[in-house]
Amino acid sequence: MEREDIDLLLDTSHRWFKANHPLEKRTAAFRSGHHEGEAAWHAMAEMGWTGLTVPEEAGGFSASNAACFELIRQAGSDARPEPLELHLLLAPLVIAALPAHAPALIGGTMRLALAEVANGDGAVRLDKNAALEGRAGTVFGGEHATHLLVPVASDQAMRLVLVDLAADGVRRVAARMIDARAALQVEFHSTPGTQLSGEGIAQRALDRAAAALVADTAGVLQAAFDLTLDYLKQRHQFGKPLSTQQAVQHKMAEVFCDLQQLLALTGRVANELDSASDGPWPTLAPAKSFVGRRALRALGQLIQVSGGIAITEEYKLTHFYRRVHVAAALFGTAEAQLARIDVRAQLLVV
């Protein structure tokens, strides 16, 4: 896509997010959950969003990950309930292995979610007939999905299995994340699935999902910073705006630095994905760990300088904070990602 096309897309998405059930209208409905149904997905498909990352030869737009990350950041800044970021990053992986699914992915009738790697008793396994057995646990974005990608540990290597959530043997129980987004708890009982071929494909799926959450968090933190800065300029204490207080300025300066670092990390991850679709993506682990440490801390500082209003369900900032908590916990915590970093390889040139 040309830059002009990307700018048009982002302008359209900005106006659509403002006009279609924005976060301001969803905060009051927090206790009943953030549910948009299929109407929003159909609208996104009509605007071409669901086909952005699909190759042109398969009927898509072959948009770069850098362009898609800009859209994901916009969705994050409005705390959209649909897991559009997962769909965009996982669709190329599915199409590369199963090209016949391209039309459904582009049309939005096939929507993807990804399970975490389950361990211990009841973990998902393949039986002797290559069917799935066990619990996938709580699946982020599962309620809106039609198909689920399931990483399955085996003696040789982790496998990735695509499952139709309407298939026989799938037990679905509605659940919610702490930020009110809909999820599913999924169990499999002799459930048929399709194994995706490719070396390391299961880990690539998990890493792509982690990258999607990094981009989403960048949009969340940007929106939270802008919201807080406006509040501090408008709110007065002792006849002066709160933004003039030196202690407040210091905290906001720290958050601004964290935001700029996260935006830089997000851009670098996008470029690495574009340069090597199969990896490695050396910036991903530091970026995802940054979400669980610095970004989450930055949101806490924004709440601190905003005062009591920041933790009310009617104010957007608390919803941003909860959303980043979800992003920090899924597809590799900060500690797990830090453990993956080969410091010598990162710092030394052989």
Side-chain angles (χ1 to χ4, degrees), residues 15 121 172 200 207 252 297 300:
R15 288 186 279 111
D121 295 338
R172 304 165 49 154
D207 285 344
M252 291 299 289
R297 176 181 175 273

Side-chain angles (χ1 to χ4, degrees), residues 244-252 305:
T244 62
Q245 295 185 12
Q246 191 174 48
V248 172
Q249 291 175 347
H250 286 169
K251 286 188 178 294
M252 291 299 289
V305 299

Side-chain angles (χ1 to χ4, degrees), residues 344-345 347-350:
R344 290 182 63 84
L347 297 179
L348 300 178
V349 178
V350 180

Side-chain angles (χ1 to χ4, degrees), residues 299-345:
L299 263 295
Q301 287 189 299
L302 294 178
I303 288 175
Q304 188 177 26
V305 299
S306 298
I309 190 176
I311 58 172
T312 62
E313 291 181 0
E314 291 76 18
Y315 197 60
K316 291 193 292 185
L317 192 55
T318 189
H319 297 270
F320 290 141
Y321 184 59
R322 291 165 176 167
R323 189 178 181 95
V324 174
H325 262 291
V326 172
L330 293 174
F331 308 121
T333 63
E335 290 71 24
Q337 295 290 352
L338 286 172
R340 298 177 63 191
I341 300 173
D342 185 340
V343 178
R344 290 182 63 84

Side-chain angles (χ1 to χ4, degrees), residues 46-326:
E46 289 178 359
M47 290 184 288
W49 298 357
T50 50
L52 282 178
T53 53
V54 177
E56 286 186 6
E57 57 269 23
F61 293 99
S62 290
S64 67
N65 286 284
C68 288
F69 275 26
E70 292 187 59
L71 175 60
I72 291 171
R73 288 203 303 270
Q74 279 203 4
S77 68
D78 191 50
R80 292 298 305 182
E82 309 87 9
L84 176 64
E85 68 276 22
L86 283 187
H87 182 89
L88 289 175
L89 270 291
L90 295 175
L93 206 64
V94 173
I95 290 172
L98 303 169
H101 288 305
L105 287 166
I106 295 171
T109 56
M110 181 179 181
R111 301 180 293 275
L112 300 172
L114 176 67
E116 296 261 36
V117 178
N119 296 302
D121 295 338
V124 180
R125 67 185 189 282
L126 292 171
D127 65 17
K128 61 181 180 180
N129 298 316
L132 293 176
E133 288 282 351
R135 295 183 68 254
T138 301
V139 176
F140 167 60
E143 192 216 38
H144 294 281
T146 62
H147 289 71
L148 177 62
L149 289 166
V150 185
V152 181
S154 66
D155 295 336
Q156 298 176 344
M158 192 161 52
R159 303 179 185 180
L160 189 65
V161 182
L162 179 67
V163 181
D164 187 338
L165 287 173
D168 294 335
V170 178
R171 181 174 180 269
R172 304 165 49 154
V173 178
R176 287 174 59 191
M177 312 302 288
I178 61 170
D179 63 346
R181 279 182 288 179
L184 279 182
Q185 291 184 343
V186 182
E187 292 184 10
F188 302 113
H189 302 281
S190 299
T191 306
T194 304
Q195 292 189 38
L196 276 64
S197 61
E199 185 178 353
I201 191 170
Q203 188 58 56
R204 289 205 305 277
L206 294 167
D207 285 344
R208 281 181 168 270
L213 294 181
V214 170
D216 183 86
T217 300
V220 172
L221 186 54
Q222 178 75 70
F225 180 84
D226 293 342
L227 174 70
T228 305
L229 187 59
D230 288 342
Y231 174 82
L232 294 175
K233 289 178 178 179
Q234 296 171 15
R235 186 73 173 174
H236 283 66
Q237 189 177 64
F238 306 117
K240 295 182 179 179
L242 286 174
S243 59
T244 62
Q245 295 185 12
Q246 191 174 48
V248 172
Q249 291 175 347
H250 286 169
K251 286 188 178 294
M252 291 299 289
E254 288 182 8
V255 175
F256 179 78
C257 291
D258 288 337
L259 171 60
Q260 297 307 309
Q261 289 181 68
L262 181 56
L263 289 171
L265 286 167
T266 302
R268 184 161 177 171
V269 169
N271 290 335
E272 289 176 356
L273 283 165
D274 285 328
S275 299
S277 60
D278 292 338
W281 308 308
T283 307
L284 177 60
K288 186 60 167 63
S289 65
F290 194 94
V291 168
R293 293 196 167 191
R294 299 296 300 186
L296 198 54
R297 176 181 175 273
L299 263 295
Q301 287 189 299
L302 294 178
I303 288 175
Q304 188 177 26
V305 299
S306 298
I309 190 176
I311 58 172
T312 62
E313 291 181 0
E314 291 76 18
Y315 197 60
K316 291 193 292 185
L317 192 55
T318 189
H319 297 270
F320 290 141
Y321 184 59
R322 291 165 176 167
R323 189 178 181 95
V324 174
H325 262 291
V326 172

